Amino acid sequence: MDQLRTLIMVHEAGTALGAARILGREQSSVQKQIDTMNRNFRELCGEPLILKQGRGKDVLFTGTGEALVELARGTLGEWLDGIHESRRRLGKTLVVGTTRFTLSYLAGAGERVSEEFRQRAIELKVGHVRTRDVLAKLRAKDVDLVCGSVVTRPEGDDELAAFDVMEWRRSGVSLLTNLSEAELPGPTAPSSALRSLPLVVSASGLMAGVLHTWFGGDYRNKLRIAAEIDTVNYGFELLRSGLLRGCMLVTKGVADAAGDPRVAYGRGLRAVELVNDTGPRLEVLLGAFTRRGERASYGAAHPLNLLWDALAQENARWQREQRWPTAGLEPDPFELANSYNPSES
């Protein structure tokens, strides 16, 4: 295994010296392993794995060497996957993904289980997951649990059948706009009106998925895209600056939150709720997700079930207390929308 790892590092670094630096070892140790593998494979296959190209130049991998590198990557990958799967099953490691706007939920739930996790030496790994990758990360088993948002349909969604879902909020789709009432009357508008409105759209994510569902994969050619943005916060700033006059697609929760006077991002903007007349009715579901049946296969004391229960308690508390996650700070409109339901106040 160590020789295979060394071979992969030499392939990536190009030289024994580069591999030694990555591995934190002496160059002579790496070179000795390469020489041994070269000798063995010359006898087994008729050619070595690596050919030297001269001082200061990257080594050249032969056909046998390239084939073995690919085999080594697969072997080591499967071996590590097996270890991670065993640690997951035994409850030694829990990997959780969260979007930026659900981190506060996870932080509160983490406090509830932190002491037990510490006493039982359970390793909790937390990583950032982009909204578009919420379910994909679960399918690939990159995470055991993820907190985030997905686009779904009120009557149910076949895509969610493969997951256990803890629903926190559902929200429709709205527009935030700096257009006048004469240009875009409110408080509602049909989704078909999007064809004629200047739009600020995200390159990917939930709202891109909504437009794809309603208008097809070539929606950019069917709609008036006034600006394409990487982050929605930039969209807020663009509309508030007045440099561009148009609309931005957001969840209804975000639109309602932006109308709150405590939220600077929404000042000067107006919310217009979309009434669907174009395609299937869509909603944004905010919650926690795991692979279906996995929690049931573990005992109640498994860390996945402990954290799941803690998230449910945290959500119940936030709904009961209407707690702001950014107490003492100017609320971010997305955090506000994910923790505070204006219709309940």
Side-chain angles (χ1 to χ4, degrees):
M1 290 292 185
D2 187 54
Q3 285 182 342
L4 294 180
R5 183 181 65 154
T6 298
L7 183 69
I8 293 171
M9 290 299 100
V10 172
H11 189 271
E12 293 183 357
T15 64
L17 177 59
R21 287 171 175 166
I22 295 173
L23 295 169
R25 290 161 54 181
E26 295 294 330
Q27 180 182 357
S28 59
S29 170
V30 171
Q31 191 62 56
K32 183 177 180 180
Q33 286 187 314
I34 295 300
D35 292 342
T36 299
M37 285 188 285
N38 263 350
R39 184 171 59 253
N40 290 339
F41 276 87
R42 184 180 286 109
E43 295 175 0
L44 287 169
C45 302
E47 72 173 349
L49 302 177
I50 298 172
L51 299 174
K52 293 182 180 179
Q53 292 287 88
R55 187 176 182 84
K57 294 183 179 180
D58 287 358
V59 297
L60 175 67
F61 275 73
T62 65
T64 300
E66 293 286 354
L68 186 62
V69 167
E70 290 306 307
L71 181 62
R73 286 197 175 106
T75 299
L76 291 177
E78 291 176 5
W79 187 69
L80 290 172
D81 287 345
I83 290 177
H84 293 326
E85 186 62 34
S86 294
R87 288 180 61 84
R88 178 183 289 119
R89 177 175 52 83
L90 296 171
K92 296 298 183 181
T93 301
L94 188 65
V95 184
V96 181
T98 175
T99 62
R100 173 189 170 192
F101 310 118
T102 56
L103 185 58
S104 295
Y105 266 97
L106 181 61
E111 292 180 4
R112 296 175 181 269
V113 298
S114 60
E115 181 59 23
E116 182 165 354
F117 277 27
R118 186 190 65 79
Q119 292 179 1
R120 293 170 53 186
I122 296 169
E123 183 182 13
L124 176 63
K125 296 182 178 180
V126 179
H128 175 242
V129 173
R130 294 185 69 87
T131 300
R132 64 173 179 260
D133 297 325
V134 164
L135 299 183
K137 288 288 186 180
L138 279 173
R139 291 192 193 95
K141 293 192 173 181
D142 293 334
V143 296
D144 303 307
L145 182 150
V146 64
C147 303
S149 301
V150 297
V151 176
T152 186
R153 304 183 185 189
E155 66 273 14
D157 195 322
D158 291 341
E159 187 178 25
L160 294 180
F163 305 97
D164 287 339
V165 180
M166 181 193 302
E167 183 176 321
W168 295 338
R169 301 284 189 276
R170 279 183 182 261
S171 178
V173 181
S174 293
L175 290 174
L176 278 176
T177 184
N178 59 7
L179 297 176
S180 67
E181 288 272 3
E183 295 170 294
L184 177 60
T188 65
S191 56
S192 58
L194 295 176
R195 290 189 174 91
S196 59
L197 293 171
L199 299 177
V200 176
V201 301
S202 298
S204 60
L206 289 178
M207 294 302 110
V210 169
L211 294 176
H212 185 283
T213 301
W214 281 347
F215 300 102
D218 61 340
Y219 65 85
R220 287 178 175 81
N221 297 322
K222 299 177 180 178
L223 304 175
R224 291 177 57 193
I225 307 299
E228 196 160 357
I229 57 177
D230 291 327
T231 66
V232 183
N233 281 346
Y234 181 74
F236 273 90
E237 295 171 5
L238 185 62
L239 291 175
R240 289 183 61 235
S241 72
L243 289 173
L244 181 147
R245 294 189 61 75
C247 313
M248 182 169 63
L249 214 63
V250 296
T251 66
K252 186 176 183 300
V254 169
D256 290 343
D260 191 289
R262 291 170 289 185
V263 180
Y265 283 119
R267 289 172 193 159
L269 301 181
R270 183 167 54 92
V272 176
E273 185 177 354
L274 284 178
V275 178
N276 183 44
D277 66 347
T278 305
R281 185 184 169 196
L282 299 176
E283 294 179 334
V284 177
L285 188 159
L286 173 75
F289 307 83
T290 65
R291 290 175 288 276
R292 184 171 293 280
E294 205 162 272
R295 290 189 307 110
S297 68
Y298 301 141
H302 190 280
L304 179 60
N305 284 321
L306 292 177
L307 185 59
W308 185 268
D309 292 342
L311 284 166
Q313 294 172 36
E314 188 69 9
N315 180 53
R317 182 166 72 96
W318 282 28
Q319 290 195 30
R320 183 175 61 252
E321 298 178 358
Q322 292 288 289
R323 186 172 68 85
W324 288 65
T326 50
L329 302 173
E330 182 180 81
D332 183 289
F334 297 94
E335 290 181 344
L336 174 61
N338 289 340
S339 63
Y340 172 79
N341 188 340
S343 67
E344 296 174 355
S345 60

